[in-house]
Amino acid sequence: MTYTGITLALSKGRIFEETLPLLAAAGITPTENPESSRKLIIGTNRADVRLIIVRASDVPTYVQYGAADLGIAGKDVLNEHGGNGLYQPLDLQIACCRMMVAVREGYDYAGTVKQGARIRVATKYVNAAREHFAGKGVHIDLIKLYGSMELAPLVGLSDVIVDLVSTGGTLKANGLVAVEHISDISSRLIVNQAALKLKRSLIQPVIDGFSSAVGTRGAA
Ligand code: ATP
Ligand code: MG
């Protein structure tokens, strides 16, 4: 609790991997790899910057309460969280994918929608799903899941799923097809608003470093 530097909340896996070049652009190098280390608090080459490793969906919570000053979270996660009290200065253009509606091959999605029948939707992204189908005027029964959504239509838990798709390989491997695009997803830098005021001299250079790295990559 006596730490006077800044704390950045990240999740393991693709977000950590894709954040490394952004950290490098801000002059920050982690001293350990969270994939091989079991540590949840990871130091860096800078005594005044540390990383914490949390579940992707917990990142906004740590930043909202100020337990982390900054974080990196997918737009999907921020949508579900609500983003209350979070400053979102940058789209980092990492962990890019699309939120889609998918069904079993052969399922007549268009026909079902046209008939006005209720549709059972299984998803981790209940806010996004509710908003999407309400916008189309389609009545749904929402079934909240925490992962492996692809299974739901195969065993009759739901008619459709709302899930993130990048290559479509997982859908294909399970005999599913994407039938509707809901939104494009990428990860955002999020900042605790009080921390930004109190620790601006430490936080602003990180925002600027990330920003220049995103700009450079976009131009390349
Ligand atoms: P957890 O594994 O803790 O349940 P998660 O599956 O959301 O959480 P990750 O798989 O690391 O965690 O995904 C982190 C973020 O990466 C997601 O919030 C999303 O924004 C993005 N993402 C998810 N799936 C893909 C994908 N297939 N391709 C690219 N980006 C993705
Ligand atoms: Mg995942």
Side-chain angles (χ1 to χ4, degrees):
M1 291 307 284
T2 52
Y3 188 70
T4 53
I6 51 172
T7 302
L8 171 69
L10 288 174
S11 52
K12 284 202 277 198
R14 59 170 62 87
I15 289 195
F16 182 82
E17 298 300 326
E18 296 191 42
T19 297
L20 281 175
L22 302 175
L23 286 170
I28 300 164
T29 313
T31 52
E32 270 169 289
N33 180 348
E35 306 299 337
S36 49
S37 150
R38 291 172 185 233
K39 284 197 185 163
L40 299 175
I41 301 180
I42 294 187
T44 71
N45 60 319
R46 299 239 324 248
D48 55 2
V49 180
R50 65 178 182 177
L51 312 178
I52 60 172
I53 305 300
V54 303
R55 286 291 290 264
S57 48
D58 290 334
V59 167
T61 306
Y62 279 85
V63 178
Q64 177 185 17
Y65 285 95
D69 303 295
L70 308 109
I72 296 178
K75 181 100 193 316
D76 51 317
V77 165
L78 291 168
N79 263 347
E80 297 304 315
H81 177 270
N84 224 341
L86 299 175
Y87 172 52
Q88 299 185 29
L90 279 179
D91 179 348
L92 299 172
Q93 292 165 36
I94 61 170
C96 297
C97 54
R98 289 167 301 157
M99 190 169 287
M100 310 278 292
V101 179
V103 302
R104 265 170 87 157
E105 267 165 37
Y107 177 84
D108 183 12
Y109 177 68
T112 309
V113 167
K114 209 180 244 171
Q115 281 166 26
R118 280 187 92 79
I119 296 179
R120 277 183 310 161
V121 180
T123 189
K124 185 164 144 183
Y125 311 103
V126 291
N127 289 348
R130 202 179 280 120
E131 202 178 305
H132 174 70
F133 288 104
K136 287 169 61 79
V138 172
H139 294 286
I140 60 167
D141 292 318
L142 259 181
I143 301 167
K144 163 85 183 180
L145 291 177
Y146 293 87
S148 302
M149 267 82 83
E150 297 85 3
L151 184 61
L154 304 180
V155 294
L157 179 63
S158 71
D159 303 307
V160 318
I161 59 172
V162 167
D163 200 1
L164 299 178
V165 180
S166 52
T167 62
T170 308
L171 290 182
K172 194 155 187 226
N174 289 290
L176 304 177
V177 286
V179 288
E180 217 159 54
H181 174 259
I182 298 179
S183 62
D184 290 325
I185 300 290
S186 56
S187 287
R188 314 293 156 115
L189 178 65
I190 57 175
V191 185
N192 177 281
Q193 287 176 343
L196 182 60
K197 291 198 188 104
L198 294 168
K199 302 185 188 173
R200 189 182 279 277
S201 62
L202 285 174
I203 293 175
Q204 192 64 48
V206 175
I207 298 177
D208 294 344
F210 282 16
S211 176
S212 67
V214 173
T216 307
R217 198 186 36 213

